[in-house]
Amino acid sequence: MSGCPFLGRKHQLFTSKPGQTEEEDESQTGINKAAKGGIVYGDYLQLDKVLNAQVLQSQEKGNKIHDEHLFIVTHQAYELWFKQILWELDSVRQLFIKKHVRDERNMLKVVSRIHRITMIFKLLVEQFAVLETMTALDFFDFREYLSSASGFQSLQFRLLESKIGVPDHLRVPYNRRHYKDSFHGQESATLLSTEQEPTLLQLVEQWLERTPGLEQDGFNFWGKLQANIEGGFKMEKHKLEKMEDSEEKQELLADLNKQTEIFTALFDPKRHEHLLSKGERRLSYKALQGALMINFYREEPRFQVPFQLLTSLMEIDMLMTKWRYNHVCMVHRMIGSKAGTGGSSGYHYLRSTVSDRYKVFVDLFNLATFLVPRSWMPKLNPNVHKFPYMAECYDSSYNSYSSEDSD
Amino acid sequence: MSGCPFLGRKHQLFTSKPGQTEEEDESQTGINKAAKGGIVYGDYLQLDKVLNAQVLQSQEKGNKIHDEHLFIVTHQAYELWFKQILWELDSVRQLFIKKHVRDERNMLKVVSRIHRITMIFKLLVEQFAVLETMTALDFFDFREYLSSASGFQSLQFRLLESKIGVPDHLRVPYNRRHYKDSFHGQESATLLSTEQEPTLLQLVEQWLERTPGLEQDGFNFWGKLQANIEGGFKMEKHKLEKMEDSEEKQELLADLNKQTEIFTALFDPKRHEHLLSKGERRLSYKALQGALMINFYREEPRFQVPFQLLTSLMEIDMLMTKWRYNHVCMVHRMIGSKAGTGGSSGYHYLRSTVSDRYKVFVDLFNLATFLVPRSWMPKLNPNVHKFPYMAECYDSSYNSYSSEDSD
Amino acid sequence: MSGCPFLGRKHQLFTSKPGQTEEEDESQTGINKAAKGGIVYGDYLQLDKVLNAQVLQSQEKGNKIHDEHLFIVTHQAYELWFKQILWELDSVRQLFIKKHVRDERNMLKVVSRIHRITMIFKLLVEQFAVLETMTALDFFDFREYLSSASGFQSLQFRLLESKIGVPDHLRVPYNRRHYKDSFHGQESATLLSTEQEPTLLQLVEQWLERTPGLEQDGFNFWGKLQANIEGGFKMEKHKLEKMEDSEEKQELLADLNKQTEIFTALFDPKRHEHLLSKGERRLSYKALQGALMINFYREEPRFQVPFQLLTSLMEIDMLMTKWRYNHVCMVHRMIGSKAGTGGSSGYHYLRSTVSDRYKVFVDLFNLATFLVPRSWMPKLNPNVHKFPYMAECYDSSYNSYSSEDSD
Amino acid sequence: MSGCPFLGRKHQLFTSKPGQTEEEDESQTGINKAAKGGIVYGDYLQLDKVLNAQVLQSQEKGNKIHDEHLFIVTHQAYELWFKQILWELDSVRQLFIKKHVRDERNMLKVVSRIHRITMIFKLLVEQFAVLETMTALDFFDFREYLSSASGFQSLQFRLLESKIGVPDHLRVPYNRRHYKDSFHGQESATLLSTEQEPTLLQLVEQWLERTPGLEQDGFNFWGKLQANIEGGFKMEKHKLEKMEDSEEKQELLADLNKQTEIFTALFDPKRHEHLLSKGERRLSYKALQGALMINFYREEPRFQVPFQLLTSLMEIDMLMTKWRYNHVCMVHRMIGSKAGTGGSSGYHYLRSTVSDRYKVFVDLFNLATFLVPRSWMPKLNPNVHKFPYMAECYDSSYNSYSSEDSD
């Protein structure tokens, strides 16, 4: 009877919930009956709203410019997808906040939703190809009608940045004004209250700090690692020193010294604090240790999905930065590199945001600097090192399906 | 002052129109003043509508399912882009209807907008990757709430098919019912009135029939081509017959006969009528000739952009068909291949629409069957064959910029 | 000193292996020394081979056609990537064959490599866009020189199909000849020996059959599920029968009967054998049960990565089928739908391979037919059901890093 | 008989060339006969070379690392496509050099091939997604074996940059060394001789300088434009001065002054020379005028395809810069931001190449700064202004098809 198989394989069966009495079920049947005549595609998607939201300012001013429609639809599509990203991001943050992630059953959800965000960002990067079918000349024909409307005013994009964890003090000011000055009233309030919430970065940090194996009185990953690495370098140095003198020997020694320095710095907590204060690191020292541990032992069953999560978080950073860069390219094409009327050049402002300052998970990228040969990694015996992490979830009373998605 | 460089380089200058008196200009300045405090990003894009149109049926029924949000947003994004495609399609049809395309100045617009449609379709094909992050199990959790809502009920998609030129009688019925039965009231009226309008196929057909060079008393492309091809085949046959007898000779002769048959059929108008009646051809005989002519002489300055247009029309067909195929794949993944509750299988229905029956410009694809060596093509001397086509636009009083985009 | 940071961060450190004596290390240093003056980019990539493999047949025959170069390079790029896919596929099969997958530490590798295959296929689908810049006319200019060379003769593509598990008897014959007739000598031998090896499908099947929880004397998933579903349907029926008579009641009852039938068939092993014999199912009955179990309990830590694997396997099927479909579209564009000279139409042959017959993991798609409400699923208590699956890997002596990647 | 429809619709017909005697034809038949048994797929593509060029250094050194294969194949695919880009680029440059582009029939070829280059670059940007399936840890396992091999040593990429027109003196040095220092022997010679050839930028520049309508004693586009713009600004200023004093008035006046300055600079040839010397402009003053003219009159039939060309040239710049940026992102992920062993950080070097310095057609982007309302553009009457440009091609003796593709 129904119609398209995807939307709307009618499915009145299976409606009873466990514990429902039969009386309740009958009312349920009534609902199904209503549903049947029920909601249709256009109403379900509220297309009366979505498809009647394209008002061309050029047309309002009596000079309809064809391409303004594309401009509007593209930006609306961006905003729709931003909403979806926020939806996923909020649910993931909720899962972390409610400590659900201590129940490892939720890890699949977390990693799947973060992965979904990356897929949306990929689409958003590709979406520029559509807007790029508009030439600078086409844009010029209506840009006067946009007056002061500005993508700088996209609330959702700012929320997105905030919730992921772009820190306020690292943002590039635009025309010497803070981005929040563009928002007023309810929007401004929303921004402020969002800032009070834990960011994805902070939640991931806390989660990383709990990585099983970091305990100094337990597996003591960090201590063991430091010992192994220091030992390793000593052995390397010893070998090199026994070489005959040569230019190569000098070079290799110099290299070794540089490497040694890098790792000496890694094991120095004060150095970490210093980098934190400059914004070059973002994670706490302990969280950094957890991230490195997950990287090294990623093949352990308990670390496989966590490792996927770290990888996806880096992808979000990469894709946001690619989105920014594509944005810059389009702006260059649309208005050139010269200043707007208002002062400093928008092109140059945007360009400055394509920067590591805006990479939230920059520490995860920089872990690549601290890799060592597998033989230097502390040995892990899974029979001995029963991680509390996993045990924990089994101790809790079992209720994963009843509380499904209570985010 | 302004804000983001893209949206909204404020641009109060350049507002005077030619012929405006200064008095009018002053009022204009007033408008600019209003504009300045003026419209902001969120209002311009009507985000209050667009971002408040996500109502989860599962949540309404007290059982919020996380992934329904993705389902809604994805479909809304599809509908937004369908609207944009219709916008471009209508403008192109308008340009053809108003005979503007006889003024070749409009060809750039036509070809750019058709190209834009292909870029949007590419995005829509890629967009499936986002919805595919939802598993069958995730979908199962809320599909009961969709009741009879059905993608089959997307008015815009039907309009799109109609306006391009999918013919009514070639559509695959679903559960023995015509697609129009799914629409009522205003939607039904819209569909019916659309059917009265000329389709893109018909407009392109008329345009192709005007291809300069087809005139029998002029260049007489078709007559000359037939003579050359018949001559060519005769010569080939002659050569083959002089070969010594061998298996190869027999094969080559058989091949030649087949090729000869194909071209004999091409030059037979009755054969064309027959194929038309079966739906295997869609263009009139004369339009087919025009299309072949544009293909053969595509490097002539006057045919370069028309050739690009034919190429883009094929791309639309290809991309729509890829979109359909991606849709089928997703449905298979979401609900399997079994029948829905309502009768015949949605999966199998959708699969049947991935068919050449739905390729509107199938004739352009099949032109590939009728290619011949360049040396067989009638010679064209541009110094002699001054085509009326190009001349025509210069005779009309010159007004291209004042009437810019009066579609 | 070195050069590009990606290729070639020179890295002479960290070369010692555990257990190496210092003497060995010295020779190692020697190697490093050699390496230093060492291999350069072009030699490393053997560019003398790769970049000197483009011989245009048209040029050989004295009539260089520009676009033949694109044709060659595109096909070479396809073959390069096919080689990479085979590389990944072989390594995954090896991991399964050596029972390494019983050591769950290898699951990350398996799932990552299968995921990589999907990423390559995505690229290959997109790659058609490049070849599509060639028009039918461009192709016509050189296709005579290709003589009998044929993509049908791509050994690697056939190996790929075979190794994944496209069964011989389900292949569509082309011109009444089997695909293997196109191969001779060494190629033919390679094909035959490949057929003796276990396919990915078979290996996944064996792995699914081992899914912990299927044991009849243990958790007995299948028995419990059948009981729950039968009970569920009975209850549904009971409810419906108490409704007042109405058209709707009749419809709902009819629907219920259909659903009941579907599940009755699911629990009938003979039905399964019948579908197997027709090629509509491919997995053993027990493997099917395992796959359904992983789907239902995908959030259990032990099933998260296995669930990802099943999802990626479906993606491979989807992408191969999309690749085939894109191929068909291009062929339509290049040569039309008419028969080639040799007999049956290549277009129609290729079209017939875009079919569920070529979907190796079709059972995983069709699982979507067998979903039931979460409340119907047998409850699983992880404290009680200690699955042997996971236990197993910890019992084995711990050697994951030493035997790293012995595939 | 043949096989796959795409590769290899056997096509022995149509082999005679105009002017061939029958005797020649017979030998031709002989060739066809040979061809028939003829070349097969694998030989045609020289797969013995292409598929035997993957030698893992890790394996050579006795420690096979699985992911090195991906690393090699990805880079080989890049090089294959670079070769194709060079093939297209050389043919386009040849068309310009031989003055063929004065025959407008070649414009379709030029614009199609430049478009093809953009499609290849899009693929190359997407191709990073495949390499990104390799993690930093996977890379770490074999990067020591790469010794000094370096992407910095890709000859083809350097040729590509050179031939498009990246100027030597604007390149960022790496470790204080010029990029050419990485090449020796034949490679070095190739680079040097390439530098003697005209770049795409120079050829486009010469072509733009010939834009019909620039002649001072003819249409005199530049003179007319300057007059119109100066008049326009004067009128705007007059209007503004009549406004009542207000903050807004002051702002508008300030804006107007800025705009006026921008255009005053545009019409100052000395300013242009100054910017040229700093590398901020790349085109000659006259070529810049031609580019602006094509932009303004892009809808004129003679300017439609030239306008498409300018658009595609910008796309090449954009895509190369996106390719560079994606490369940087991957490097960050693979080796972090720290310095390599050799000195300055590769990451930071690469980052510095994602810069407008490397945008060859930067002038075309910056044209967006110089747009004015359509009413300010000099009127063009095609009946009066018969451009020599188009006429020229008809005066030449007609031979487009005989000399087809003599590049």
Side-chain angles (χ1 to χ4, degrees), chain B residues 128-338:
Chain B
F128 280 105
V130 175
L131 196 45
E132 283 168 2
T133 60
M134 191 170 78
T135 65
L137 289 125
D138 297 325
F139 180 50
F140 184 84
D141 283 341
F142 66 91
R143 81 180 166 178
E144 61 175 301
Y145 302 111
L146 304 178
S147 64
S148 61
S150 161
F152 205 69
Q153 298 161 351
S154 166
L155 178 64
Q156 289 197 127
F157 191 71
R158 295 309 169 183
L159 288 174
L160 182 52
E161 289 183 330
S162 271
K163 287 178 180 198
I164 289 180
V166 172
D168 227 49
H169 65 282
L170 291 180
R171 285 174 184 279
V172 180
Y174 179 52
N175 279 338
R176 282 174 302 278
R177 296 179 64 200
H178 195 276
Y179 81 95
K180 271 183 285 190
D181 296 353
S182 301
F183 299 95
H184 309 281
Q186 183 52 48
E187 295 197 337
S188 177
T190 304
L191 266 177
L192 282 172
S193 85
T194 293
E195 277 178 15
Q196 308 309 313
E197 299 167 16
T199 65
L200 181 63
L201 175 67
Q202 289 164 343
L203 291 162
V204 166
E205 182 181 55
Q206 290 162 23
W207 169 75
L208 284 171
E209 288 173 348
R210 291 198 306 270
T211 306
L214 292 183
E215 320 74 17
Q216 289 189 1
D217 54 354
F219 180 62
N220 188 22
F221 166 68
W222 203 242
K224 285 204 179 97
L225 181 68
Q226 182 170 9
N228 282 13
I229 287 178
E230 286 173 1
F233 277 122
K234 235 175 246 168
M235 198 172 132
E236 291 283 335
K237 192 163 189 179
H238 190 60
K239 274 191 300 177
L240 287 183
E241 279 165 349
K242 281 170 50 186
M243 284 175 69
E244 267 180 68
D245 268 348
S246 67
E247 198 190 345
E248 195 207 345
K249 178 178 177 178
Q250 294 313 314
E251 263 180 41
L252 287 171
L253 274 171
D255 283 356
L256 185 64
N257 283 336
K258 260 181 214 152
Q259 288 292 333
T260 310
E261 270 169 46
I262 287 173
F263 280 93
T264 305
L266 176 64
F267 291 109
D268 178 0
K270 279 183 192 153
R271 176 84 184 143
H272 184 81
E273 291 311 313
H274 177 66
L275 292 171
L276 266 183
S277 73
K278 293 204 306 179
E280 291 185 21
R281 287 209 190 132
R282 310 288 169 88
L283 290 173
S284 74
Y285 197 43
K286 197 160 184 199
L288 188 78
Q289 297 168 18
L292 200 57
M293 189 173 177
I294 289 170
N295 264 272
F296 280 156
Y297 303 101
R298 69 193 184 281
E299 284 169 357
E300 289 304 307
R302 77 210 57 182
F303 285 158
Q304 293 180 0
V305 177
F307 178 71
Q308 293 175 334
L309 178 58
L310 297 187
T311 304
S312 290
L313 291 172
M314 281 194 281
E315 269 202 82
I316 289 185
D317 257 349
M318 286 227 308
L319 286 161
M320 280 194 77
T321 210
K322 283 179 190 177
W323 188 89
R324 290 178 201 276
Y325 190 64
N326 277 266
H327 189 196
V328 166
C329 289
M330 195 187 49
V331 168
H332 194 194
R333 199 170 133 140
M334 288 296 168
I335 63 170
S337 64
K338 290 294 166 226

Side-chain angles (χ1 to χ4, degrees), chain A residues 4 41 44 68-69 84 150, chain B residues 4 44 68-69 79 84 150:
Chain A
C4 157
Y41 180 82
Y44 177 58
E68 193 186 348
H69 199 278
Q84 184 61 36
S150 160
Chain B
C4 157
Y44 176 58
E68 193 185 348
H69 199 278
E79 290 289 337
Q84 185 61 36
S150 161

